Amino acid sequence: MIYARFFAKARGCLRLRNLLLRQCLAELLGVFVLIVITVSASAQSVTSEGTKGGYMSSALASGISVMVAIHVSGGISGGHLNPAFSLAMCLLSQCPWWKLPIFSTFQILGAFLGSATVYALYYDAIQHYTNGTLTVTGPRETASIFATYPAPYLSLHNGFLDQVLGTGMLLLGILAFIDSRNKNIPKGLEPLAVGLLVLSLSLAMGANCSCAINPARDLGPRLFTYVAGWGPQVFSAGNYWWWVPIVAPMVGSATGTAVYQLCVEFHHPPEEEEEAFTMPANEKVHPGTEKEVDIPIYVVNKYVDTWLDGNSVGNPATEHGKRETAPSP
């Protein structure tokens, strides 16, 4: 009872009524949850040297974290969680352009705070694994727990293509999920569908550079590692790789959005034509009921009884009158 009263008072004092602030807070918390789950899985795998996880467990945690994060923020801000997705919504006029830098800032902040939380959680494990030396390269490097880095064989232009294609596929899938005139996902299952999509992309396109496909997911943790002790090498490693997971996903977002619009969205028939094609004019459909069909009304012959009695000749009106006035036997 005391707790209920306390939370009731706290809600009255702390409740935000400004929609933009609520959306920013939701985006921050959503990305925070995403990073805590995703990076924790990576930290557990690296510091245990593969005995308590591997790439499969990290990819699975990444997909589930996206699902949970969308549930956390989706009803408030739409669950963008990714500057690339925010850009797509702006391109489709579903989000004002002035919100793009604001949402992106809070998404990066949420990723920074999430990384700090994981570092605190796995501080002892990281120190034990590295013998107290935080490095970006080498056999005991731990910077890749937080941010993405290219494989030794990967060139910048190939890595750029990797991120463009991965983010393009992400946006292509999400736009198909939310397209009400396509085979859209039933209401409430969107987070699960997006989580499975992220899982599939991680499993299919993660070998080159860990499939960031989210500028906030990469930049926020990279900034944290810069200030937490890994130093400026987090920006110079991989032939100055750091800008690729920021720029390429934005290009991929615009590309994926354009492809879906050009190949699918633009070719939907006008709504009135679609309704006329799918529902004939003489049919009335009511949700939850059987289909009602207007049956043509024919004139009922009221002299059928007279004809059945064999009186086929004579004035129908007279015969009908006789039948109506004749006394019963």
Side-chain angles (χ1 to χ4, degrees):
M1 192 67 179
I2 296 177
Y3 288 107
R5 291 176 180 174
F6 171 77
F7 283 118
K9 292 181 179 179
R11 180 181 181 184
C13 296
L14 301 176
R15 180 186 176 191
L16 295 176
R17 292 172 173 80
N18 183 279
L19 177 60
L20 179 60
L21 290 179
R22 292 169 54 214
Q23 290 175 334
C24 291
L25 187 60
E27 285 294 307
L28 186 150
L29 182 60
V31 177
F32 175 86
V33 170
L34 186 154
I35 294 297
V36 166
I37 298 176
T38 301
V39 177
S40 289
S42 179
Q44 178 171 293
S45 174
V46 171
T47 57
S48 69
E49 300 185 52
T51 61
K52 296 181 180 179
Y55 188 80
M56 179 64 186
S57 64
S58 297
L60 184 59
S62 178
I64 294 175
S65 70
V66 170
M67 180 188 70
V68 176
I70 295 175
H71 277 293
V72 168
S73 61
I76 313 303
S77 63
H80 291 196
L81 309 173
N82 185 342
F85 183 74
S86 298
L87 173 63
M89 294 297 98
C90 292
L91 291 172
L92 296 175
S93 299
Q94 297 184 23
C95 180
W97 282 95
W98 60 266
K99 281 188 178 181
L100 177 60
I102 299 175
F103 275 17
S104 299
T105 300
F106 277 87
Q107 289 160 356
I108 294 171
L109 179 58
F112 184 95
L113 296 176
S115 300
T117 301
V118 174
Y119 182 66
L121 178 65
Y122 279 95
Y123 177 81
D124 289 343
I126 292 173
Q127 293 298 317
H128 179 266
Y129 177 77
T130 62
N131 293 320
T133 304
L134 303 179
T135 58
V136 179
T137 58
R140 291 282 173 173
E141 64 84 18
T142 47
S144 62
I145 290 175
F146 298 90
T148 64
Y149 292 87
Y153 59 81
L154 191 69
S155 62
L156 282 180
H157 65 271
N158 197 176
F160 193 92
L161 174 62
D162 178 282
Q163 291 297 288
V164 169
L165 181 60
T167 312
M169 293 297 294
L170 175 68
L171 265 297
L172 191 69
I174 293 176
L175 292 178
F177 294 157
I178 64 177
D179 186 356
S180 61
R181 305 184 69 192
N182 202 337
K183 199 72 175 178
N184 62 312
I185 299 298
K187 185 175 177 59
L189 294 181
E190 299 92 340
L192 176 61
V194 177
L196 290 174
L197 175 60
V198 171
L199 170 60
S200 67
L201 292 175
S202 298
L203 293 176
M205 302 182 182
N208 286 334
C209 49
S210 301
C211 197
I213 59 176
N214 184 340
R217 181 260 174 273
D218 192 84
L219 181 58
R222 195 179 300 275
L223 289 172
F224 171 76
T225 53
Y226 173 74
V227 301
W230 279 266
Q233 194 178 3
V234 299
F235 292 103
S236 60
N239 195 20
Y240 293 90
W241 164 263
W242 69 272
W243 65 271
V244 176
I246 298 174
V247 177
M250 304 301 276
V251 176
S253 172
T255 304
T257 302
V259 168
Y260 188 80
Q261 295 295 302
L262 291 172
C263 294
V264 178
E265 180 70 27
F266 285 175
H267 310 294
H268 288 323
E271 292 186 5
E272 56 274 11
E273 292 183 11
E274 191 174 54
E275 291 175 359
F277 176 78
T278 58
M279 186 173 62
N282 66 328
E283 296 184 2
K284 300 176 182 178
V285 179
H286 303 282
T289 63
E290 295 182 358
K291 185 184 295 184
E292 297 179 4
V293 181
D294 291 340
I295 302 175
I297 301 175
Y298 299 95
V299 177
V300 178
N301 191 338
K302 62 182 179 179
Y303 309 116
V304 64
D305 292 338
T306 302
W307 296 339
L308 291 175
D309 289 342
N311 300 321
S312 57
V313 181
N315 189 337
T318 305
E319 296 294 339
H320 183 67
K322 289 180 180 180
R323 290 179 58 85
E324 289 184 340
T325 58
S328 57

